Amino acid sequence: QVQLVESGGGLVQAGGSLRLSCAASGSIFSVNAMGWYRQAPGKQRELVAAITSGGTTNYADSVKGRFTISRDNAKNTVYLQMNGLKPEDTAVYYCNSEGVTTEWVRYDYWGQGTQVTVSS
């Protein structure tokens, strides 16, 4: 069993910043990719940013230059620093983690989601 606990969402004015955190815990042998996705009302869930265990990152074009993803492998935690927030960034942000459990089973889990609201 793997659990993902997210924190850091909230309400911010346009141009402001927020930092999201997501910690993976449980029967984890290794964590491979971790990432952040978001889903706005009436839209499909989309990738925001992802990072591999080796530190390779991938960003959606809409957030490049504004958002930074990082991770602490020792803590199985991924962060998303969001600067220059825009109203169109408003969404529920979900953490995702892929890896291998201590029972040598591949896992792919999602967090419960955290609301980010950017006011104009």
Side-chain angles (χ1 to χ4, degrees), residues 13-90:
Q13 289 188 335
S17 299
L18 284 174
R19 188 187 192 218
L20 306 182
S21 299
C22 172
S25 63
S27 304
I28 297 173
F29 175 76
S30 64
V31 179
N32 299 330
M34 299 188 78
W36 290 96
Y37 293 70
R38 67 186 180 188
Q39 188 167 18
K43 294 188 177 182
Q44 290 187 332
R45 190 174 297 188
E46 62 176 1
L47 173 69
V48 177
I51 184 168
T52 67
S53 57
T56 300
T57 58
N58 181 36
Y59 294 93
D61 288 342
S62 59
V63 307
K64 285 180 180 178
R66 300 188 298 123
F67 292 8
T68 301
I69 189 169
S70 61
R71 64 188 281 175
D72 184 333
N73 289 332
K75 297 180 180 180
N76 289 334
T77 299
V78 64
Y79 306 96
L80 185 67
Q81 178 66 43
M82 304 184 293
N83 299 328
L85 282 161
K86 304 175 181 180
E88 50 264 43
D89 294 317
T90 295

Side-chain angles (χ1 to χ4, degrees), residues 89-100:
D89 294 317
T90 295
V92 178
Y93 284 69
Y94 296 92
C95 173
N96 177 262
S97 175
E98 299 176 2
V100 180

